[in-house]
């Protein structure tokens, strides 16, 4: 598929749940590139304990084995609260009006959408590709149901036919991994092996993060 896929997150730290999501989407949709965009300051979470630069560095370490993955540091460079709508607007300006732009997000993030800044405008700039996440069932709030009715794609192919404005739900290999779980294990001095790439695990050990 021509077009650009992006995935935002706190990546505190990045883990195999994020990375499997990215590669499964790349394989199924054939995008040439998926950009991971670590936020500077999450809007709806406590401020991370480690620095944005450390989260950025771990994200860079994590993608070295797949050349279709890249890291976009614009939210960290921009500083301040990271509003997705601002990021999408900026990317849209760069890629022009015709290129499909697909924002990948987990079901948990999707269910929180009505709390995001100017959330109705997001699909003016991009398609939404909502992926399954264990523990998060699509028990839609009515506001989201009404929203989906207007823009749900009839097939994933529709995301290629327009630059933005459609929504599609995709079931992926369920991986019950979260950054909070990894931070909890590290805090308790338990192993975090096999939940995230080895270079990221080594980085966490080297700098004694999350202790
Ligand atoms: P935390 O526990 O700190 O909230 P997290 O694991 O949810 O961290 P985020 O950085 O908040 O990670 O998530 C970034 C994006 O990746 C979100 O859209 C989220 O829904 C998605 N995501 C994270 N983990 C998974 C997973 N295991 N499966 C599918 N999607 C995921
Ligand atoms: Mg999260």
């Amino acid at each position: 598929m021509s077009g650009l896929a992006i995935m935002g997150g706190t990546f505190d730290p990045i883990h195999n749940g994020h990375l499997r999501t990215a590669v499964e989407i790349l394989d199924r949709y054939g995008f040439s590139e998926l950009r991971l965009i670590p936020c500077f300051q999450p809007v709806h979470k406590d401020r991370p304990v480690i620095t944005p630069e450390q989260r950025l560095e771990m994200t860079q370490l994590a993608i070295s084995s797949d050349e279709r993955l890249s890291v976009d540091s614009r939210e960290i460079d921009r500083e301040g609260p990271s509003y997705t709508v601002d990021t999408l607007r900026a990317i849209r300006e760069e890629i022009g009006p015709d290129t499909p732009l697909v924002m990948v997000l987990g079901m948990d993030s999707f269910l929180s959408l009505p709390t995001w800044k100017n959330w109705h405008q997001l699909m003016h700039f991009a398609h939404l590709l909502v992926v399954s996440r264990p523990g998060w069932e699509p028990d839609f709030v009515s506001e989201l149901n009404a929203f989906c009715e207007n823009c749900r794609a009839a097939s994933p192919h529709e995301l290629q036919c327009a630059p933005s404005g459609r929504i599609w739900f995709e079931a992926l290999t369920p991986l019950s991994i979260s950054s909070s779980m990894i931070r909890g294990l590290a805090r308790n001095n338990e192993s975090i092996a096999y939940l995230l790439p080895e270079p990221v695990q080594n980085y966490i050990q080297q700098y004694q993060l999350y202790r």
Side-chain angles (χ1 to χ4, degrees):
M1 190 203 266
S2 65
L4 176 63
I6 60 169
M7 188 173 157
T10 315
F11 303 126
D12 184 26
I14 188 158
H15 55 68
N16 291 345
H18 300 128
L19 294 159
R20 261 321 290 179
T21 296
V23 298
E24 288 189 15
I25 292 299
L26 280 164
D27 286 345
R28 288 185 199 184
Y29 287 81
F31 294 112
S32 52
E33 185 188 0
L34 187 147
R35 281 191 210 170
L36 298 165
I37 312 183
C39 66
F40 178 72
Q41 200 173 299
V43 179
H44 300 290
K45 276 185 192 177
D46 290 341
R47 195 185 285 251
V49 192
I50 69 168
T51 67
E53 290 72 25
Q54 287 172 318
R55 290 184 289 107
L56 178 64
E57 217 171 322
M58 288 193 285
T59 309
Q60 279 157 345
L61 286 172
I63 61 159
S64 55
S65 59
D66 194 322
E67 61 190 16
R68 298 171 298 174
L69 295 174
S70 63
V71 182
D72 184 327
S73 66
R74 73 181 64 229
E75 290 192 352
I76 289 179
D77 301 339
R78 193 167 71 211
E79 303 193 344
S82 301
Y83 295 115
T84 302
V85 69
D86 299 337
T87 304
L88 294 185
R89 187 184 298 106
I91 295 176
R92 172 54 70 198
E93 270 171 26
E94 283 166 24
I95 64 176
D98 301 327
T99 307
L101 176 62
V102 176
M103 177 167 94
V104 179
L105 72 169
M107 184 58 80
D108 58 311
S109 301
F110 178 69
L111 292 175
S112 73
L113 210 66
T115 65
W116 295 20
K117 183 185 164 194
N118 296 340
W119 66 283
H120 275 281
Q121 282 178 21
L122 297 174
M123 291 182 65
H124 178 67
F125 301 113
H127 298 298
L128 298 189
L129 181 45
V130 183
V131 303
S132 53
R133 184 168 187 184
W136 298 91
E137 303 313 324
D139 181 15
F140 289 120
V141 287
S142 56
E143 207 175 347
L144 281 175
N145 239 339
F147 178 67
C148 291
E149 240 167 60
N150 301 326
C151 52
R152 197 188 290 258
S155 76
H157 176 70
E158 261 192 55
L159 304 192
Q160 304 175 51
C161 302
S164 61
R166 303 273 107 194
I167 187 163
W168 183 253
F169 295 88
E170 186 81 27
L172 301 181
T173 304
L175 286 176
S176 252
I177 304 174
S178 68
S179 302
S180 15
M181 160 196 184
I182 292 170
R183 293 194 300 273
L185 289 169
R187 199 162 42 240
N188 294 333
N189 227 351
E190 291 177 66
S191 172
I192 55 172
Y194 312 117
L195 297 171
L196 71 184
E198 221 171 272
V200 180
Q201 189 193 335
N202 293 340
Y203 185 96
I204 291 171
Q205 253 142 20
Q206 184 184 348
Y207 294 101
Q208 298 279 299
L209 305 183
Y210 309 122
R211 290 303 168 87

